[in-house]
Amino acid sequence: MPRIGVLTSGGDAPGMNAAVRAITRAAIHSGAEVFAIREGWQGALAGGDHIVPLGWSDVSGILNKGGTVIGTARSAEFRERAGQRRAVRHLVERGIDRLIIIGGDGSLTGTRELGLGWGELLAELVAAGEITQELADAHPALYVAGLVGSIDNDMVGTDMTIGTDSALHRITEAVDAISSTAESHQRTFIVEVMGRRCGYLALMSAIASGADYTFLPESPPGDGWEDQMVEVLRHGRSAGRRDSILIVAEGAADTHGVPITAERISEVLAEKAGEEARITILGHVQRGGVPSAYDRWMATVCGVEAVRQVLDAEVGAEPVLVGVHRDRVRAVPLIEAVSDTHAVADHIAEGDYASAISARGAG
Ligand code: F6P
């Protein structure tokens, strides 16, 4: 019977549990066994009771829960060769050679490397006498499917990442709440949102909440942005708005690469408009809590497809990323999705924002 390992890695995201549930049940339905690898790659490194079988009812009641019930971690040790070897040993000892990982860009990159280096890692384990040749021969390849679990929506290869929609709802609700107190006092609020180097959450929440101004990593404001911002806010007030809302992405910077933080914006407002703005850093409130209907749906359909991918794979199969494109599930080569995602980050680092946007859209 084929054995599938499932793990969540990197920052948690609402909808990860829906994916774990769908993977478990689709795998059982297809005649496979499923093992949870607890606490992300740390679990594969630890082995023992960190790798546990999952039955149908083990995943009951988790569809609507935030976070990940099988735990997650960011593992530095897994990036080392010795760590990868240990993880591979623990997997083959359990007969697991199919892996579905739900994580962000960093986690999926590491998994792709493990899939590509599988043969060599097994050979090293045999040479060190840690596993037998028979065991290595029984598992000639690691079949990998990745689902992108991240609120950042920063991965090429899928239109949405699991958790983004929930985070967006959370941010919009928070900004709505802030607006009512801001209007009462005719105040200005600067709201900082997550997203790492990606401005998706900032841009979408600014549109959804009708914010006055937003700062995005992909569209840094040029010199003189301070006066322009003050002018836009003044214009809003003179048109009858009682509040001013600015949304700043945590990765925002100006064209010189100097970070634009909520603090910096607040100082500019104090100096140029005599405004005592309030700052709200939403932080992990954005990442926790129940998943939206969209995230439950997307995680479920992608989870089912990921099971099909790893069960149908044959020796030599490329690791795949399972995501959605135009509301349909699709699998693309993980290697391309990862390198295109890195290309976007490189373009942003070089200040070539037009190429970054078109590279992100291309996926
Ligand atoms: O990648 C998801 C994310 O929430 C980012 O938006 C944020 O920058 C980061 O993780 C925060 O990481 P941590 O939870 O380790 O503080």
Side-chain angles (χ1 to χ4, degrees):
M1 201 182 263
R3 289 187 161 185
I4 301 174
V6 57
L7 68 98
T8 49
S9 176
D12 66 290
M16 281 182 160
N17 287 325
V20 170
R21 171 180 175 272
I23 291 161
T24 303
R25 293 188 171 175
I28 293 170
H29 181 74
S30 307
E33 284 179 290
V34 194
F35 288 77
I37 300 167
R38 305 185 63 90
E39 321 305 340
W41 283 115
Q42 302 283 27
L45 288 161
D49 62 3
H50 277 75
I51 303 179
V52 291
L54 283 178
W56 190 273
S57 55
D58 291 328
V59 292
S60 293
I62 65 169
L63 178 63
N64 58 358
K65 286 209 162 67
T68 162
V69 295
I70 60 173
T72 185
R74 302 190 200 273
S75 170
E77 210 186 334
F78 177 69
R79 290 195 208 111
E80 309 291 325
R81 187 85 181 166
Q84 292 181 358
R85 225 176 10 239
R86 192 139 49 90
V88 168
R89 176 163 64 82
H90 289 143
L91 293 179
V92 288
E93 280 172 355
R94 297 296 188 95
I96 299 168
D97 57 11
R98 286 153 219 271
L99 207 57
I100 301 177
I101 167 153
I102 310 150
D105 163 29
S107 312
L108 294 176
T109 306
T111 312
R112 188 204 66 172
E113 280 160 14
L114 191 76
L116 298 177
W118 180 258
E120 280 177 25
L121 289 160
L122 284 181
E124 286 172 25
L125 287 166
V126 172
E130 292 186 44
I131 62 168
T132 63
Q133 186 64 52
E134 290 70 38
L135 190 59
D137 291 345
H139 302 286
L142 178 70
Y143 307 106
V144 174
L147 305 190
V148 197
S150 167
I151 64 165
D152 299 338
N153 205 24
D154 57 352
M155 187 94 194
V156 178
T158 181
D159 292 348
M160 285 290 271
T161 60
I162 296 167
T164 300
D165 185 66
S166 309
L168 195 48
H169 278 278
R170 207 85 70 233
I171 296 168
T172 308
E173 263 171 44
V175 177
D176 286 349
I178 287 168
S179 292
S180 68
T181 171
E183 279 172 22
S184 307
H185 291 264
Q186 300 192 62
R187 271 182 176 154
T188 297
F189 272 78
I190 306 159
V191 182
E192 186 193 286
V193 302
M194 282 185 168
R196 237 177 253 277
R197 286 182 305 266
C198 180
Y200 183 90
L201 287 174
L203 178 60
M204 294 303 151
S205 60
I207 294 170
S209 62
D212 296 79
Y213 217 86
T214 184
F215 294 93
L216 312 171
E218 298 86 345
S219 177
D223 294 343
W225 63 267
E226 296 92 338
D227 292 325
Q228 198 216 4
M229 172 186 74
V230 168
E231 189 43 41
V232 168
L233 300 188
R234 252 194 217 125
H235 190 73
R237 289 295 175 97
S238 60
R241 275 191 77 127
R242 287 181 56 85
D243 66 348
S244 305
I245 305 285
L246 298 96
I247 298 192
V248 55
E250 64 178 349
D254 62 22
T255 42
H256 305 287
V258 180
I260 297 186
T261 59
E263 203 59 52
R264 183 172 169 199
I265 299 167
S266 156
E267 281 164 19
V268 170
L269 288 171
E271 188 195 311
K272 294 195 178 276
E275 278 261 12
E276 234 191 81
R278 297 291 193 267
I279 293 176
T280 304
I281 300 194
L282 289 179
H284 290 77
V285 157
Q286 297 159 89
R287 220 166 76 187
V290 298
S292 67
Y294 179 85
D295 278 328
R296 297 180 203 187
W297 164 79
M298 203 225 326
T300 299
V301 293
C302 290
V304 172
E305 175 61 16
V307 169
R308 197 178 72 78
Q309 290 284 335
V310 294
L311 289 180
D312 287 355
E314 286 172 7
V315 176
E318 282 273 334
V320 292
L321 178 147
V322 178
V324 285
H325 184 55
R326 299 187 177 153
D327 283 336
R328 284 174 187 261
V329 183
R330 74 162 180 191
V332 295
L334 182 56
I335 197 161
E336 279 172 30
V338 165
S339 66
D340 289 350
T341 301
H342 291 171
V344 172
D346 291 346
H347 289 313
I348 291 178
E350 287 155 9
D352 184 357
Y353 306 104
S355 301
I357 289 166
S358 74
R360 188 171 283 155

